[in-house]
Amino acid sequence: MSSVAAAKQLPAQTGLWDRFVWALIDSWTIAKRNLRHIPRNPELLLDVTVQPVIFVLLFRYVFGGAINVPGTSYVNYLMAGIFVQTVVFSSLSTGIGLSHDLKLGLVDRFRSLPMSRVAVLAGRTLTDLLRGILAVVIMTVVGVAVGFRPDGSVGGWLAAFGLILLFGFALSWAGVVVGVLMRSPEAVQAAMFVVVFPLTFASSAFVPTSTMPSWLQSFAANQPFTLVVNAVRSYILGQPVGSAGWESLIWGLALVAIFVPLSVILYERKAV
């Protein structure tokens, strides 16, 4: 808390750029506070370490023998879905953590400090973005250990990495909206899972959408989760990306453009 309290007071007359810079500094201060909690509570990393490893092993060795995909091995097909799923699931903690802070009154203490109010939200989303980076690194190592052999270029990997983080960042802000609207962390978790789980499994993350019933194929093939997974898979395997690259980029930017201002508006209203 001392580092947050040390946030600098803005002068009475400050330009827009200076306010933006101070908001970034305050956001990083909040993010550092959140990161300091991890060594004291290492279970906070379970959703980006142990849980994804279980998913990789489960699908690779339990379901992988029964699932055939054209043109590549199942583990190569699987890893893009695991990458995106892990980052998306980690974004659930944004809303849960914010709801927990609101319930405990910690956010009210932040509001009494000379700091940007947006920093409370941005700092938490930044924390989960860093956790997402850790998750992708761990999943890459685990994937290689179980037979993952990507042929994508360095540029392809960077593009895939950027899309994953953009999509996770966008959904973190969606989690902020849910965290502000719901009355308890348990309600936030339930609401987010109701949305995230169908989008995750009714997608191309784990099986080709062509194997799904006809009534589900149209939705599964065109929903944003599938587009991001397809783009990431193509980038890391060195395959043609097609329209999935720019479509998933548009989806990510659109979600950020929608949920960032919406979450700030709802947060400010709750503060009144």
Side-chain angles (χ1 to χ4, degrees):
M1 180 66 68
S2 59
S3 61
V4 176
K8 295 179 175 58
Q9 176 73 54
L10 280 174
Q13 294 182 344
T14 307
L16 183 61
W17 173 252
D18 291 331
R19 289 184 177 276
F20 175 73
V21 172
W22 285 123
L24 290 179
I25 294 174
D26 291 341
S27 298
W28 178 239
T29 301
I30 294 291
K32 288 192 293 184
R33 167 197 170 265
N34 295 334
L35 292 173
R36 288 195 184 101
H37 286 181
I38 293 177
R40 304 169 190 169
N41 301 283
E43 61 271 16
L44 294 174
L45 290 178
L46 288 177
D47 61 332
V48 294
T49 54
V50 177
Q51 179 177 297
V53 171
I54 292 175
F55 268 104
V56 171
L57 298 179
L58 179 67
F59 280 91
R60 171 69 176 89
Y61 293 112
V62 178
F63 301 124
I67 302 175
N68 295 317
V69 293
T72 188
S73 65
Y74 182 67
V75 66
N76 281 350
Y77 182 91
L78 170 69
M79 291 310 299
I82 294 292
F83 288 154
V84 179
Q85 181 206 50
T86 301
V87 173
V88 169
F89 278 12
S90 72
S91 68
L92 298 179
S93 64
T94 304
I96 296 171
L98 177 61
S99 178
H100 186 262
D101 289 345
L102 286 168
K103 186 177 181 179
L104 293 180
L106 184 61
V107 173
D108 292 330
R109 297 177 65 183
F110 285 152
R111 289 173 181 146
S112 68
L113 297 175
M115 60 182 292
S116 169
R117 287 188 175 183
V118 179
V120 176
L121 309 181
R124 187 161 287 281
T125 58
L126 179 59
T127 302
D128 289 321
L129 189 66
L130 296 174
R131 293 169 69 250
I133 294 173
L134 173 64
V136 173
V137 172
I138 293 175
M139 288 306 95
T140 302
V141 174
V142 173
V144 170
V146 298
F148 178 46
R149 299 295 182 266
D151 294 322
S153 63
V154 174
W157 269 93
L158 291 176
F161 195 64
L163 281 179
I164 293 170
L165 295 184
L166 173 62
F167 197 57
F169 183 69
L171 291 185
S172 291
W173 284 97
V176 169
V177 171
V178 178
V180 172
L181 292 176
M182 296 295 173
R183 297 183 180 180
S184 69
E186 295 78 12
V188 174
Q189 184 175 20
M192 292 290 287
F193 267 69
V194 166
V195 176
V196 170
F197 257 80
L199 288 176
T200 303
F201 288 95
S203 74
S204 64
F206 307 117
V207 297
T209 56
S210 59
T211 64
M212 298 178 184
S214 57
W215 58 267
L216 183 58
Q217 285 185 28
S218 179
F219 167 78
N222 295 284
Q223 58 119 323
F225 200 101
T226 291
L227 295 174
V228 174
V229 170
N230 287 347
V232 170
R233 181 177 293 125
S234 297
Y235 279 127
I236 64 178
L237 296 182
Q239 299 173 348
V241 180
S243 62
W246 62 264
E247 287 177 343
S248 56
L249 177 62
I250 290 175
W251 265 107
L253 294 175
L255 290 174
V256 170
I258 292 171
F259 286 115
V260 170
L262 180 60
S263 61
V264 172
I265 291 171
L266 293 175
Y267 177 76
E268 290 292 339
R269 288 181 178 178
K270 199 175 186 69
V272 176

